[in-house]
Amino acid sequence: MTLLRREYAEEIFDALAKVGVELHHLLLHADSDAIAKRIEGSMEFPGDGERSVKVRAFRRRKIEVYEHAYATWLDERAEVIDTTALTPDQVVEEALPPEPFVNSSAIAKMAGPAAVVADYSWPGTSTTVLRLRAPDGRQMILKSNTSRDSFRRELTALSAWAPALGASAPQLLDVDENAQLLLTTAVTGQPLQYLTLTGPQERRAYERAVTGALLTAREILYARG
């Protein structure tokens, strides 16, 4: 189902969020020519050509409405898969993320004979985050993310931005793009969600994180000219 009116979509999304339903908004997009071609080649009611013609006419009228929704909000609100040049099997492969694959074999492949010392995975999500300790005492973080979009964004950040932060940020050690696994160094300290902070302390922690990220981004941009 594609919701083309933003207010209707937000009403449904907000209602689901209030009752704790995790929503993954996936949009199977195609350009207008591809949509029109698919409509012409469809037969909605086999054996009832007249009824199918009426449905196809209705669908053609909706192309312009869809284009407007896509340009004004759908593109930003949803995770988009452009199906214009994809086969149905390729669309399924893009739409269905792989199952989490963090077991002893995956750990050994990425980190060698390392032991799991802590599990920082967020409850209710499909992301796995493990702290590992190598025999020589080095600690690492192994993360599995089943969202392709999130995995690609994080890989880009670790590859292009994190090196400029040095030891204050995780540094990429290894990556398995097929299994969507990231192995990084472990920075000192504890995850913020495991600390008991006062309101001012928590606000200060987020202020320092945002300020540090902005300053680093400026330094990288200046370095690149």
Side-chain angles (χ1 to χ4, degrees), residues 214-225:
L214 291 174
L215 289 174
T216 301
R218 184 178 65 180
E219 291 169 1
I220 293 173
L221 290 174
Y222 282 157
R224 292 179 176 177

Side-chain angles (χ1 to χ4, degrees), residues 9-181:
E10 296 299 341
E11 182 179 353
I12 294 174
F13 298 155
D14 290 346
L16 291 173
K18 287 179 180 178
V19 296
V21 176
E22 184 178 356
L23 181 68
H24 188 182
H25 187 185
L26 189 66
L27 176 65
L28 303 184
H29 172 73
D31 63 37
S32 298
D33 290 340
I35 294 175
K37 185 177 180 180
R38 292 171 187 176
I39 291 173
E40 292 307 315
S42 65
M43 178 60 71
E44 285 76 7
F45 298 97
D48 191 339
E50 183 178 351
R51 193 177 180 189
S52 294
V53 167
K54 292 180 180 179
V55 173
R56 288 197 295 271
F58 171 81
R59 294 176 64 194
R60 283 194 296 270
R61 292 196 299 271
K62 289 293 183 179
I63 293 178
E64 185 175 350
V65 181
Y66 169 76
E67 288 179 332
H68 176 73
Y70 182 77
T72 55
W73 71 277
L74 265 175
D75 184 27
E76 297 180 356
R77 180 63 175 79
E79 180 179 342
V80 179
I81 297 177
D82 191 336
T83 69
T84 302
L86 299 181
T87 65
D89 287 343
Q90 289 172 327
V91 173
V92 171
E93 184 178 347
E94 285 287 322
L96 297 179
E99 292 296 319
F101 188 67
V102 181
N103 54 25
S104 57
S105 297
I107 292 172
K109 178 182 177 181
M110 296 288 287
V116 177
V117 295
D119 187 341
Y120 294 140
S121 306
W122 282 81
T125 71
S126 57
T127 299
T128 302
V129 183
L130 303 176
R131 180 181 284 267
L132 310 178
R133 183 174 60 228
D136 61 5
R138 290 181 301 111
Q139 297 211 6
M140 300 164 283
I141 298 294
L142 181 61
K143 183 174 183 179
S144 169
N145 196 325
T146 58
S147 166
R148 285 186 176 85
D149 191 49
S150 297
F151 171 78
R152 290 166 181 163
R153 285 199 302 266
E154 192 160 359
L155 177 58
T156 298
L158 287 168
S159 302
W161 295 82
L165 293 169
S168 62
Q171 300 299 311
L172 186 63
L173 298 173
D174 199 3
V175 57
D176 185 333
E177 295 196 39
N178 291 326
Q180 296 184 179
L181 293 172

